[in-house]
Amino acid sequence: MFGNSSLLKGLIVFEGLDGAGTTTQLRSLEARLEALKRPYYITFEPTDGAVGQVIRTVLGGKEAFQRETLARLFSADRYEHLHGNDGMIAHLDRGDLVITDRYLFSSLAYQGLDLGMEKVWEFNRDFPLPEILLFFDIPPEDGERRYSRRDSLEIYEKLSTQHAVRDNYMEILDHLKQSDCEVIIIDSTKSIDKISDQVWSIVSRHPIVTM
Ligand SMILES: Nc1ncnc2c1ncn2[C@@H]1O[C@H](COP(=O)(O)OP(=O)(O)OP(=O)(O)O)[C@@H](O)[C@H]1O
Ligand SMILES: Cc1cn([C@H]2C[C@H](O)[C@@H](COP(=O)(O)O)O2)c(=O)[nH]c1=O
């Protein structure tokens, strides 16, 4: 896994368990990039495109697909997210710093639970790796406390599942040592402001922000 993958300069990925705080940190990062008037594109997976909307019905429990169908849908959504007309590559070509909330590592960690990571990798092996991966690390119990405040839960938001997802993420981070992707682990139990400062200390040194 990852050994022969290419790297997309200017692409930063946020990953973590449910409730790790990636949405909160993306908002904070967006405010800082906006204030500095740096070129950026903040995005997420599953996307709000046609395939992403179908995926959301499955995550919400309204629709049930075969496990492999779901893994292939995430991969199809990602293809469009990356290569679509207004996709991540188009933004990178325009000179934007691109930050996405979740990417192929989520497929490996979550769909890997049912199918095994090697099988999921088959559907994702052609996607390039990001330049930087920020992994927002949180004990599953803390994540659960945060997402449990929501009105409705999604299919993966169960404590036992989150433990298994975290194990998969740890394996993924280990595999990434074979690649040129820079992996940074963020302690997501810290305060929102402290994490925001740490994220900014990493992102603000990127050439697209400093130039
Ligand atoms: N560092 C933090 N300390 C305490 N609470 C936090 C922290 N970061 C986020 N939260 C709170 O936890 C909840 C979940 O945060 P957020 O939506 O950012 O997580 P997420 O990683 O995007 O979750 P998911 O992937 O499940 O959508 C929110 O109520 C948010 O205010
Ligand atoms: C991209 C992607 C996501 N998932 C899962 C992970 C989360 O449980 C949800 C997305 O929820 P969020 O609150 O919007 O972060 O979907 C997945 O299983 N596989 C994937 O590839």
Side-chain angles (χ1 to χ4, degrees):
M1 228 189 279
F2 305 135
N4 294 320
S5 299
S6 59
L7 203 77
L8 259 188
K9 286 271 180 199
L11 178 63
I12 299 179
V13 172
F14 283 17
E15 288 278 355
L17 298 185
D18 293 79
T22 54
T23 310
T24 305
Q25 291 305 325
L26 274 174
R27 283 200 202 110
S28 165
L29 178 59
E30 177 160 33
R32 296 201 199 224
L33 289 166
E34 195 67 47
L36 270 186
K37 298 197 187 323
R38 303 316 301 148
Y40 72 89
Y41 177 58
I42 285 184
T43 179
F44 52 87
E45 294 187 6
T47 69
D48 52 11
V51 182
Q53 286 177 39
V54 173
I55 292 173
R56 289 277 171 201
T57 65
V58 180
L59 292 175
K62 292 196 189 101
E63 187 88 62
F65 287 146
Q66 295 299 308
R67 296 173 298 193
E68 190 167 325
T69 310
L70 183 59
R72 287 173 183 270
L73 282 175
F74 274 115
S75 169
D77 186 46
R78 185 161 301 127
Y79 192 91
E80 205 55 35
H81 191 207
L82 198 59
H83 298 284
N85 288 339
D86 194 35
M88 296 195 285
I89 289 180
H91 279 273
L92 289 167
D93 288 348
R94 234 176 268 166
D96 290 347
L97 183 68
V98 174
I99 307 112
T100 177
D101 190 351
R102 299 193 181 278
Y103 187 52
L104 63 87
F105 312 106
S106 284
S107 282
L108 293 167
Y110 287 77
Q111 282 62 63
L113 294 178
D114 291 325
L115 297 175
M117 283 202 261
E118 284 302 329
K119 181 74 186 167
V120 179
W121 178 240
E122 281 177 28
F123 310 137
N124 288 278
R125 61 185 322 137
D126 292 337
F127 295 122
L129 295 178
E131 185 178 351
I132 304 172
L133 166 63
L134 297 190
F135 179 69
F136 291 79
D137 196 18
I138 191 164
E141 289 77 6
D142 292 12
E144 186 192 40
R145 223 168 289 127
R146 293 185 190 171
Y147 64 67
S148 296
R149 289 183 216 132
R150 295 182 188 140
D151 294 340
S152 59
L153 295 185
E154 293 185 335
I155 55 172
Y156 295 115
E157 292 175 337
K158 287 188 203 98
L159 188 56
S160 56
T161 307
Q162 295 293 312
H163 272 284
V165 168
R166 188 171 182 281
D167 290 346
N168 276 353
Y169 268 127
M170 290 302 126
E171 203 179 319
I172 292 162
L173 299 191
D174 203 42
H175 278 296
L176 278 169
K177 289 177 187 155
Q178 302 163 30
S179 79
D180 292 329
C181 171
E182 183 184 358
V183 177
I184 298 164
I185 299 178
I186 308 272
D187 179 355
S188 250
T189 62
K190 295 209 170 120
S191 73
I192 291 175
D193 287 349
K194 275 217 170 98
I195 298 170
S196 170
D197 287 347
Q198 188 186 355
V199 169
W200 184 241
S201 74
I202 296 158
V203 174
S204 61
R205 64 175 153 79
H206 193 280
I208 297 178
V209 181
T210 55
M211 72 186 170

